[in-house]
Amino acid sequence: MIVVLRFLLAALLYLFLGTALFILWRDLRRGEAAPPAPPEAYLQLGEEPPLRLRPVTALGRAEDNTLVLDDPFVSAHHALVLWREERWWLEDLESHNGTFLNGERLTAARPLTSGDRIRLGETRLRFWES
């Protein structure tokens, strides 16, 4: 009889722990909200159609960039435009000729605002948000 009571007590204990863990897991999953999608933003290159930015947009001469630039003064992997901290940022990837934002050479990542002018080599881009 004692063996049956011990078995029943152990089964109830495991059932209680399993239920508690399930409830905790479910509540944690409900609390996980997907990060908000970045607002639509674009880079305009001359008269070309604007390029809609991805959360990480790579700029450079290499074919694996999001925006491939045909400019001999642009590095293979020149710069990034990325969404973080609820803003768009421009970051130079230690390019040889530098990345310029509104005429100033970047020495660190800087936030972008609509209308900003970006220069990589001889290529001029304009950033804008909709």
Side-chain angles (χ1 to χ4, degrees), residues 6 20 25 34 40 44 51 59 62-63 72 75-76 78 87-88 90 105 107-108 114 118-119 126 128 130:
R6 284 184 178 173
W25 175 79
E40 287 187 20
Q44 182 79 44
L51 170 73
L59 311 171
E63 292 296 321
S75 299
H78 197 102
R87 304 184 76 159
W88 288 103
L90 177 62
R105 187 174 184 142
T107 56
S114 201
I118 300 168
R119 184 170 62 85
R126 177 149 329 250
W128 51 279
S130 58

Side-chain angles (χ1 to χ4, degrees), residues 87-103:
R87 304 184 76 159
W88 288 103
W89 292 79
L90 177 62
E91 181 177 329
D92 182 68
L93 297 176
E94 298 180 14
S95 62
H96 181 71
N97 292 317
T99 300
F100 294 81
L101 178 60
N102 298 320

Side-chain angles (χ1 to χ4, degrees), residues 3-80:
V3 173
V4 172
L5 287 175
R6 284 184 178 173
F7 178 78
L8 194 58
L9 182 61
L12 287 173
L13 180 62
Y14 281 114
L15 181 65
F16 172 77
L17 289 174
T19 304
L21 288 174
F22 174 76
I23 291 170
L24 286 171
W25 175 79
R26 186 189 63 200
D27 289 346
L28 285 173
R29 296 254 329 174
R30 282 186 189 160
E32 290 178 8
E40 287 187 20
Y42 302 88
L43 283 178
Q44 182 79 44
L45 172 62
E47 297 301 315
E48 298 280 326
L51 170 73
R52 184 173 178 189
L53 296 176
R54 298 178 185 172
V56 177
T57 302
L59 311 171
R61 276 194 347 262
E63 292 296 321
D64 61 342
N65 287 295
T66 312
L67 178 57
V68 178
L69 301 170
D70 185 22
D71 181 338
F73 298 101
V74 170
S75 299
H77 297 98
H78 197 102
L80 292 175

